[in-house]
Amino acid sequence: GGGKAAAACARGEPLVVHCSSSGDNPVSWGFMLNAMPGYFERHPSSKTRGAIHFRWARSQAVYSALHAVYHTIPATASDVLAWLRGLKGGTRAKMERLTSLLRPLVFFPCHEWLFDASNLGAVRHALNCADRATLDLDVAALCWDTYFTTWSRGMKVFLLQEKPSYVRSRL
């Protein structure tokens, strides 16, 4: 028999614990700058219109300026050129849709990914043996490269709405 936490998960009532990047296994900007662009260069989205560039900003103002320079202005220019050619644009609308979907994530390019998870050790120790076997809460053992590879696949399927078969064949 499983423990309380495993039984709650089986009933669809999982207990929620904030398991995060912390001092035990931080995700640094350096890792993201080195790992993520390479992943997207090796496995580009079918919807990519150009090279993938990762830029990190330490303030919301700098982030907004970079977003305007690298996204808003080029998308608007693309639509103007399309209009001058008698074609329908749509690049800016797509960029705005993606921006609105990613808005909750704006915090991350402006901050290191460190959160207080000081109580996580106490939660791990409070679990019985069955729950410890089912629920691995040791963030120090988390492989960020594997985590973000899986996250990137999910971005392609669920956010960019690419077909899973395309993603599987490209990864």
Side-chain angles (χ1 to χ4, degrees), residues 4-46:
K4 288 181 184 180
C9 288
R11 289 190 311 269
E13 304 168 2
L15 303 173
V16 177
V17 175
H18 179 68
C19 180
S20 69
S21 173
S22 66
D24 294 336
N25 189 2
V27 178
S28 68
W29 281 352
F31 170 82
M32 296 301 289
L33 286 171
N34 290 328
M36 296 314 292
Y39 173 83
F40 284 106
E41 287 168 8
R42 289 187 311 275
H43 311 289
S45 165
S46 64

